Amino acid sequence: MSDSPGRRQRVRDDDSARTKRVGRGEALADWADGRVGLFSMAKANLRKVFPDHWSFLIGEIALYTFIIIILTGVYLTMFFEPSMNEVVYHGRYTPLQGIRMSAAYESTLDISFDVRGGLLLRQLHHWAAILFIASMLVHMMRTFFNGVFRKPREINWLSGAGLLILGMFDGFMGYSLPDDLLSGTGLRFMEGAILSVPIVGTYISFFLFGGQFPGHIIVPRLFTVHVLLIPGIMLGLLALHMMLLVYHKHSHHPGPGRRDMNIVGPPLWPVYVAKSGGFFFLVFAITAVMSAIATVNPIWSYGPYRPDQVSTDAQPDWYMGFSEGLIRLMPGWEINLWGHTLVLGVFIPLMIFPTVLLVIWLYPFLEAWVTGDRREHHLNERPRNAPTRTAFGAAWIALYIVLLIGGGNDLVATHFHLSINTITWACRISFFVAPVVVFVITKRICLGLQRRDHEKVLHGRETGVIQRLPHGEFTELHEPLTQAERYTLVSFDQYRPLELPPAVDESGVERKLSFKERLRVRLSRAYFGEYGQIAKPTREEFERQREHHP
């Protein structure tokens, strides 16, 4: 009997709600809210705070270009025929009339010249893919240099790096689908790399191509992976990335009132939603303008793929220039053992390429192991305050640029009238020298900036005004920093390097240290030792300076 009044009251409330006249939209919204709790969920999340800084827009560019890729890809899928069956072209493009080609190449020509808006959509799809990978790379560089990958955002870093790597390979498969002379050359390049793998290379190649290259099934298989498999995985990683972003919230830059336990910025609704919505249309408009005025991948100029031909100036998209440069710079070394040839000139670059990606992917765990830091970090770190990490990232960028130039050594030679052998040897030497030089210079620059911040906190900002003291000495006047400026310059963690334990333990027994322990101490000294950072000013130094120069 005790439950019946509450039940009767609920029924009366529902009946009274039904007697009130509401619009159809409101009724539908009430129906949905009563079953999934949409309004209560939105009420709890729409007031979330997002920090306001231009660097966060880079990640939004990656998200919006990915949306453009999905939308344009769905449209192009309706007209593309992923088949390598041989046909004779009788379409609108006159120079290729009567030429034998694959059905995939013919359908791509039809999209470009016969489908209304087809060429624009092809261009939009390709440019969006290029911008997506570029924005992903810059976004990860920003995340790396600001130390955003630290706890609790390691999974965000892994998912973001996974999106970047999958995007690179999906882009390669995408521009391999038309089966033109350029894409066929790229597939031939991939086949040669696979064949260089000892023992299993031949089996993998026969499995992918269904026999001898090029076979008749590689385009349908690439189409399935390009349209279904990789985009599905990327959508899952993107959903995971966004959920963790909402759960952990954005990290924000150091400043007054900004701590690890709070977020300073405008709310999601209506400020951030309005800005983000307008930015989406801006990104879409710029991509559309680029697609309308700048030609990318003109397959009609290359012609259909033939194994006995190679197009001149054959270059992959820029994001695959890393692998291209590794192949072109590596000497053509071979080893003949027991009647088998090991092609080191291709196999070694094939191993270096994923190794470099793996090191960057797992770097957060390396740094966490060196520091031993288990705390949560929600404040970004200025790159100058992590000199070794910043120098490591700059060295990787230098290596990437060297390999990009090496991958286009023929174009550099023809455009600048240089010897291709000279360019190749310069890039080979730079492969080993440039990262080291850039690492040292970048670290010295960061240490110099730390010293300048140290001096600014203690002595103030230089004004350029020279003052003569009563005893004849000339000095420059310094303007004291505000409290907010001083806080921004000193609000960062400064780790102490690890030390080796005593040579003997409490019982007088010689302590045995593993290689792993010694390596960790050496890396810690390199990161945070005397030559790894400049000690930030202490309160005692600041008070002493104020007493001498009030």
Side-chain angles (χ1 to χ4, degrees):
M1 295 297 294
S2 59
D3 293 339
S4 57
R7 183 178 300 174
R8 287 196 299 271
Q9 181 65 39
R10 184 170 64 252
V11 172
R12 285 198 297 268
D13 290 342
D14 292 342
D15 291 341
S16 62
R18 290 193 188 97
T19 58
K20 184 180 178 180
R21 309 188 72 178
V22 296
R24 293 183 178 179
E26 185 177 352
L28 179 61
D30 289 339
W31 182 89
D33 183 52
R35 287 153 180 81
V36 299
L38 186 62
F39 290 170
S40 57
M41 186 188 307
K43 184 177 180 180
N45 290 280
L46 287 179
R47 300 303 297 175
K48 284 187 177 293
V49 175
F50 284 81
D52 194 7
H53 194 269
W54 65 267
S55 61
F56 297 121
L57 298 178
I58 302 172
E60 293 188 28
I61 295 175
L63 174 62
Y64 299 152
T65 50
F66 184 72
I67 294 174
I68 297 172
I69 292 172
I70 296 298
L71 295 177
T72 55
V74 170
Y75 181 83
L76 294 174
T77 304
M78 299 178 183
F79 302 97
F80 180 73
E81 183 178 350
S83 172
M84 299 184 71
N85 294 332
E86 192 175 76
V87 297
V88 178
Y89 181 70
H90 295 290
R92 183 171 298 182
Y93 189 65
T94 304
L96 293 177
Q97 286 285 346
I99 300 296
R100 293 184 178 273
M101 58 185 65
S102 66
Y105 185 68
E106 182 190 39
S107 65
T108 310
L109 289 175
D110 292 339
I111 293 173
S112 303
F113 298 109
D114 296 322
V115 176
R116 185 179 297 274
L119 180 57
L120 178 61
L121 267 294
R122 273 195 64 235
Q123 298 265 118
L124 192 61
H125 187 74
H126 202 132
W127 274 117
I130 293 174
L131 293 177
F132 168 71
I133 299 175
S135 57
M136 279 292 298
L137 181 61
V138 176
H139 177 60
M140 290 201 64
M141 288 168 54
R142 197 275 306 177
T143 303
F144 180 85
F145 288 121
N146 286 141
V148 185
F149 54 78
R150 296 174 294 174
K151 183 182 177 180
R153 294 179 176 83
E154 298 95 337
I155 300 179
N156 293 64
W157 172 267
L158 294 177
S159 60
L163 282 169
L164 175 61
I165 296 172
L166 288 176
M168 292 169 56
F169 285 102
D170 204 34
F172 171 78
M173 294 180 186
Y175 66 70
S176 299
L177 287 177
D179 197 33
D180 60 296
L181 189 55
L182 181 62
S183 66
T185 304
L187 287 176
R188 189 69 161 179
F189 175 90
M190 182 186 73
E191 188 228 6
I194 294 174
L195 289 176
S196 69
V197 179
I199 302 175
V200 298
T202 305
Y203 298 98
I204 296 175
S205 176
F206 270 62
F207 172 76
L208 288 178
F209 294 97
Q212 291 287 350
F213 178 87
H216 295 86
I217 63 173
I218 185 62
V219 169
R221 286 182 174 180
L222 288 180
F223 179 78
T224 303
V225 175
H226 175 73
V227 174
L228 294 178
L229 181 59
I230 293 184
I233 299 175
M234 293 179 69
L235 283 173
L237 289 176
L238 180 61
L240 174 64
H241 195 81
M242 298 304 295
M243 287 190 297
L244 291 175
L245 176 65
V246 173
Y247 178 73
H248 295 308
K249 302 181 178 62
H250 270 87
S251 60
H252 52 168
H253 293 281
R258 302 178 182 181
R259 302 182 301 276
D260 277 326
M261 304 305 296
N262 71 343
I263 298 292
V264 178
L268 174 63
W269 178 269
V271 179
Y272 195 80
V273 170
K275 289 183 177 180
S276 184
F279 190 59
F280 168 75
F281 290 107
L282 180 62
V283 171
F284 193 97
I286 292 176
T287 309
V289 171
M290 293 172 58
S291 305
I293 64 177
T295 302
V296 60
N297 196 22
I299 60 160
W300 53 88
S301 299
Y302 308 133
Y305 176 67
R306 285 180 51 180
D308 60 332
Q309 294 182 355
V310 176
S311 59
T312 58
D313 295 343
Q315 299 289 325
D317 279 342
W318 66 271
Y319 46 85
M320 297 303 291
F322 187 92
S323 58
E324 181 86 8
L326 284 170
I327 295 292
R328 294 196 184 192
L329 297 185
M330 182 68 191
W333 296 342
E334 293 183 355
I335 297 179
N336 295 306
L337 293 174
W338 304 295
H340 298 278
T341 301
L342 181 60
V343 186
L344 297 180
V346 180
F347 180 66
I348 291 179
L350 185 63
M351 295 296 101
I352 293 177
F353 179 66
T355 301
V356 173
L357 294 179
L358 186 64
V359 170
I360 296 296
W361 200 11
L362 300 180
Y363 180 85
F365 303 97
L366 171 64
E367 185 168 312
W369 176 65
V370 173
T371 60
D373 190 359
R374 298 294 183 267
R375 298 170 301 164
E376 289 192 4
H377 296 274
H378 300 283
L379 277 175
N380 293 339
E381 196 169 22
R382 301 173 77 197
R384 67 184 62 181
N385 294 328
T388 304
R389 179 205 303 152
T390 303
F392 182 79
W396 182 85
I397 294 174
L399 178 64
Y400 191 94
I401 293 175
V402 168
L403 292 176
L404 199 62
I405 296 174
N409 55 1
D410 52 344
L411 295 180
V412 176
T414 55
H415 283 69
F416 294 95
H417 306 288
L418 299 173
S419 169
I420 191 171
N421 293 327
T422 302
I423 297 170
T424 301
W425 274 105
C427 290
R428 286 175 177 174
I429 297 172
S430 300
F431 178 85
F432 299 98
V433 176
V436 177
V437 173
V438 171
F439 181 91
V440 174
I441 293 177
T442 303
K443 189 172 183 179
R444 298 304 303 173
I445 291 175
C446 291
L447 294 175
L449 293 174
Q450 283 189 355
R451 291 190 182 93
R452 190 184 70 173
D453 290 344
H454 187 281
E455 294 297 321
K456 287 173 66 175
V457 171
L458 294 180
H459 305 287
R461 184 183 295 104
E462 297 178 355
T463 62
V465 178
I466 305 300
Q467 180 185 32
R468 183 177 182 181
L469 301 180
H471 59 276
E473 179 184 358
F474 290 92
T475 61
E476 182 181 11
L477 294 179
H478 286 71
E479 178 184 356
L481 300 181
T482 64
Q483 186 175 359
E485 291 173 330
R486 287 197 299 268
Y487 177 82
T488 302
L489 294 180
V490 300
S491 60
F492 64 94
D493 296 324
Q494 200 161 47
Y495 299 96
R496 293 183 179 180
L498 300 177
E499 298 291 340
L500 288 173
V504 295
D505 58 16
E506 297 81 359
S507 304
V509 179
E510 183 179 358
R511 193 188 306 271
K512 294 183 179 180
L513 298 177
S514 63
F515 172 77
K516 181 179 178 181
E517 293 174 323
R518 295 181 183 275
L519 177 63
R520 183 183 181 189
V521 171
R522 289 182 179 179
L523 290 175
S524 178
R525 289 176 179 174
Y527 269 73
F528 313 112
E530 180 182 0
Y531 301 103
Q533 61 184 356
I534 303 298
K536 61 181 180 181
T538 62
R539 181 182 295 273
E540 292 76 15
E541 290 177 326
F542 181 73
E543 295 297 338
R544 192 182 310 118
Q545 182 65 26
R546 289 186 61 181
E547 292 176 0
H548 293 157
H549 301 280

